[in-house]
Amino acid sequence: MSDTSNGVETESYAGRFGAIMSMAGMCIGMGNVWRFPYMVGQFGGGSFIIAYIACLVVVVMPLALVECGLGKGLGKGLMQAFEVSLKSKKAGKVFGGVFAFSYYSMNFFYFIVVSASVYFAYASATSKWNTVRPELIYDNFSANHALMAVISVVLVIATAVILAKGVSGGIEKVSKIMIPLMFLFFIVAIFFGIFCIDGISKGYNWYIEPDLSVLAKPDVWVAAMGQALFSVGVGPGCVLVYGSHLSKTSDVTLTMTTVCLLCCCVGVITGMAIIPACIAMGLNPESGSKLIFIVLPTLFSKLPGGALIGALVFIAIFFAGISSAIAQLEVIVASFADGFGWSRKKAVFIFGGINIVAAVIAAYRESFYDFWNNFSGNYGFIVTAGIGAIVYGYIYGVEKIRANFLNPSGDIRLGKWFTGFVKFVATPIMLIIMANSLFPFLITGETSTARPMENALSATTIVTLVLIVVLLFGGTIFLLAKCLTAKEKTEEEIAEYMKNESIRQSNKERSLS
C-alpha cells in the first residue's frame, strides 16, 4: 500500500502482524537486551523491574501514542512533520533534517556493537572459550580491527538492501521473522536455565523479588525512567516515522500500546534469561556494560550445552540490534525521501554509503567510535527527544492528535483527561529526566544490591512472578491477539465519527455561550 499525496510515494505496512513486528523491532534494540540486564544488576534486581514497568506504562506509553498518532495522521517523514507543526518549510527542513541525522548517526558506532553480537554467536557455537579464556574473547575481537570492519560493512550492506526493498517488502518481511525468533530463543534460554542450572531459584529470588527499601530510593526511579524512555525511543522521531507507514484506518492506541508492552516484555525476558543464571553460577550481575560480552561467555563455558544456548542468546541479541539499526537508517531515508522528493533507493544509497565509511572508521579508530557513541547516544538523542516532545505535544498539540488521529480509528476512545495528562504530567517528567541526563541535578546515589537470598523460591518471588506472567505477559498476548483479530474501522465509520464529534463540540460551545 502507498500514499501518493504531494507527489511522493509513502509506503504502508502490508499487514497488521508485520506492522506490529516492524514497530516492535524499531523499539527493541541493544537498550533492551544489552543495557536492561545490567541496569537491573546495578539497581536492585526486582525493584528496578517494578519501577521500569511502572514508568513505561504511566509515562512513556502515552508519549508514544502521541508521536505515533501524529506520524499516522501526517503520513510523512520528519521534515514534513516539522513543516506542518512549525508552519514553515525552511524550519521543517532544518529541524527535520537535524533530527533525522541525529538519530541516524547512532549507526556510526552501532554497527560495531551489532558486529560483536555476530562474532559472539560464532564464538559460542564453536566453543571458543576452550582455546581462549572467556573474559578475553571480547578483547581479542576488539583488537581485530579488520574483522570488525568486515562484519560491520556486511551488516550495513544487508541493512541497506532490506530498506531498498521498501517497507512491506523489506522492513516488514524481515521483522516478521526476526522478532518472533528473538522471543523464542530467549524463552529457550530461560527454560534451559530452569531445568539445567543448579541453584537457579536463588537467582530468580534476586531477579524477581522486589525490595521495598530500594523502591524508596529516588535514583532507582530516575534510572528506570531513563531506561523506559530509551527503550521505546520516544521523541527523536523514530516512532513518528514508523507510525507514518500505518494506514489511515489503523488503531494507533491499540497498536502502539501492544508495541510498548512487547518492548517491556523483551527487557524482562532478556533479564530472566541472563541474571538468574549469573547469580546461580556466582557471577557478578553488576558488571555494567561488560555483562553480555564478558560475563555471558564465562557463564556459557561452565554450562552443559552452553555452546548451543550461547549461540541462540547471541543470535537473539543480534536480531534486537539489527532491527534498531534498520530503524536508525529508515528514519533518515524516509525523511529525506519525503522532504526532497528523492526515491527510496537514492536515499538508501547515499546514507548507506556514509554508514559504510563510518563503520570502517569506527572499527579502526576508537576515538571516532567514542565520539559518536557519546554524541548520538547521549546528547543527540536527549536533545532531539526533548524538543520533539515539545513540538508534538505542545506546538502541534496533543488535543488535535487525540481528536483527529487516535480516537476516530480507535476502539478505545481517549478522553480529554489524556490531553491534560500528557501535557502536564508525562511530558514534564520526560523533560526533567532528559535534562538530568545532560546535567545531573536529581538525587542520585549507589543502590546496594547485595542481599542474602534463599535457595528456594520465596513466596514474594512466586507472587511477583505470577503477576508479571499474568499481567505483563498475559496482557501483552491478549492485546496482540486483539490487534490481529479486531476489525479496523472503515473510512466511512471514521468520517461519521468525526462528523458526530464536530456536531457535539458545536452544541457544547453553543450551550456555553
Side-chain angles (χ1 to χ4, degrees):
M1 297 176 66
S2 64
D3 172 23
T4 56
S5 58
N6 298 327
V8 180
E9 184 179 30
T10 301
E11 287 189 87
S12 298
Y13 304 110
R16 295 184 194 175
F17 181 72
I20 294 169
M21 291 301 103
S22 298
M23 297 181 75
M26 172 266 297
C27 295
I28 298 166
M30 298 302 282
N32 294 89
V33 301
W34 167 59
R35 193 172 187 266
F36 182 83
Y38 79 74
M39 291 293 284
V40 173
Q42 291 179 339
F43 287 95
S47 304
F48 182 84
I49 295 174
I50 299 301
Y52 167 75
I53 294 174
C55 291
L56 187 140
V57 172
V58 174
V59 176
V60 176
M61 193 181 296
L63 295 171
L65 293 181
V66 170
E67 185 175 342
C68 187
L70 180 60
K72 186 202 82 165
L74 299 182
K76 297 296 178 183
L78 281 167
M79 289 184 183
Q80 288 173 307
F82 275 97
E83 179 183 324
V84 172
S85 300
L86 302 176
K87 297 180 174 60
S88 168
K89 285 189 176 183
K90 185 175 181 180
K93 292 284 194 296
V94 172
F95 276 90
V98 169
F99 268 55
F101 179 82
S102 178
Y103 192 71
Y104 154 76
S105 68
M106 285 195 280
N107 272 355
F108 291 179
F109 71 90
Y110 198 75
F111 278 106
I112 300 300
V113 181
V114 181
S115 71
S117 66
V118 174
Y119 180 78
F120 273 82
Y122 157 78
S124 297
T126 58
S127 300
K128 197 169 183 63
W129 45 71
N130 290 333
T131 56
V132 179
R133 292 210 323 267
E135 64 271 20
L136 296 179
I137 295 175
Y138 183 75
D139 291 338
N140 289 355
F141 174 67
S142 299
N144 193 337
H145 303 298
L147 178 60
M148 193 184 302
V150 168
I151 296 176
S152 297
V153 169
V154 170
L155 292 178
V156 175
I157 293 172
T159 301
V161 169
I162 291 169
L163 262 67
K165 290 181 179 294
V167 173
S168 59
I171 298 173
E172 184 176 352
K173 186 173 289 186
V174 299
S175 296
K176 288 195 297 187
I177 298 171
M178 290 194 303
I179 303 305
L181 283 179
M182 178 191 65
F183 275 100
L184 176 64
F185 292 165
F186 278 131
I187 291 171
V188 169
I190 289 172
F191 278 99
F192 176 84
I194 291 172
F195 293 108
C196 300
I197 300 177
D198 293 334
I200 196 70
S201 296
K202 182 178 181 180
Y204 271 93
N205 285 336
W206 194 98
Y207 180 68
I208 295 294
E209 183 178 328
D211 184 342
L212 295 181
S213 65
V214 173
L215 281 173
K217 298 183 178 182
D219 58 308
V220 172
W221 289 94
V222 171
M225 183 61 71
Q227 176 63 30
L229 288 166
F230 281 107
S231 292
V232 177
V234 292
C238 53
V239 176
L240 185 147
V241 169
Y242 269 62
S244 72
H245 298 312
L246 291 170
S247 68
K248 298 303 181 185
T249 58
S250 294
D251 186 341
V252 172
T253 304
L254 180 60
T255 299
M256 200 64 216
T257 298
T258 304
V259 169
C260 286
L261 291 180
L262 279 171
C263 180
C264 187
C265 287
V266 168
V268 175
I269 288 173
T270 303
M272 203 175 285
I274 295 173
I275 298 294
C278 286
I279 296 293
M281 301 294 289
L283 301 175
N284 184 11
E286 301 177 56
S287 301
S289 59
K290 302 181 294 183
L291 182 63
I292 66 170
F293 291 131
I294 294 180
V295 175
L296 285 191
T298 303
L299 171 67
F300 297 138
S301 69
K302 296 180 179 181
L303 296 178
L308 174 61
I309 297 302
L312 292 180
V313 167
F314 280 110
I315 290 172
I317 292 171
F318 163 73
F319 285 157
I322 198 66
S323 63
S324 281
I326 290 171
Q328 281 148 203
L329 184 55
E330 168 63 10
V331 166
I332 199 166
V333 165
S335 297
F336 274 69
D338 285 344
F340 293 108
W342 294 356
S343 69
R344 168 172 283 271
K345 290 185 178 180
K346 176 181 177 180
V348 168
F349 181 80
I350 292 172
F351 295 112
I354 294 172
N355 258 175
I356 289 175
V357 175
V360 173
I361 297 173
Y364 282 93
R365 291 287 181 267
E366 188 174 349
S367 58
F368 182 89
Y369 173 95
D370 289 340
F371 172 81
W372 288 107
N373 185 11
N374 185 48
F375 172 78
S376 305
N378 295 327
Y379 298 102
F381 184 98
I382 293 167
V383 171
T384 55
I387 296 173
I390 293 170
V391 172
Y392 313 145
Y394 294 106
I395 297 177
Y396 188 90
V398 179
E399 181 59 21
K400 286 172 62 178
I401 295 171
R402 180 193 74 87
N404 297 326
F405 305 144
L406 296 180
N407 280 354
S409 58
D411 280 339
I412 301 174
R413 266 65 186 258
L414 302 169
K416 285 201 171 185
W417 63 266
F418 179 79
T419 299
F421 183 83
V422 171
K423 290 178 69 174
F424 303 116
V425 179
T427 302
I429 291 175
M430 175 192 180
L431 294 175
I432 290 170
I433 297 300
M434 292 298 185
N436 183 71
S437 298
L438 292 173
F439 310 104
F441 57 86
L442 297 175
I443 298 173
T444 57
E446 293 191 9
T447 298
S448 173
T449 57
R451 58 191 192 278
M453 284 293 160
E454 302 174 23
N455 289 325
L457 286 177
S458 69
T460 306
T461 298
I462 294 172
V463 171
T464 308
L465 186 57
V466 169
L467 289 175
I468 288 175
V469 170
V470 173
L471 296 181
L472 178 60
F473 298 166
T476 303
I477 293 171
F478 171 79
L479 287 178
L480 180 60
K482 187 172 178 61
C483 278
L484 299 178
T485 57
K487 183 180 178 181
E488 285 188 356
K489 300 278 190 297
T490 64
E491 292 184 1
E492 291 75 16
E493 288 173 325
I494 292 173
E496 182 67 20
Y497 172 84
M498 295 288 286
K499 177 183 176 182
N500 292 337
E501 280 296 293
S502 178
I503 294 172
R504 189 182 67 82
Q505 187 64 30
S506 297
N507 291 338
K508 183 177 179 181
E509 291 173 358
R510 195 176 299 116
S511 65
L512 292 174
S513 59

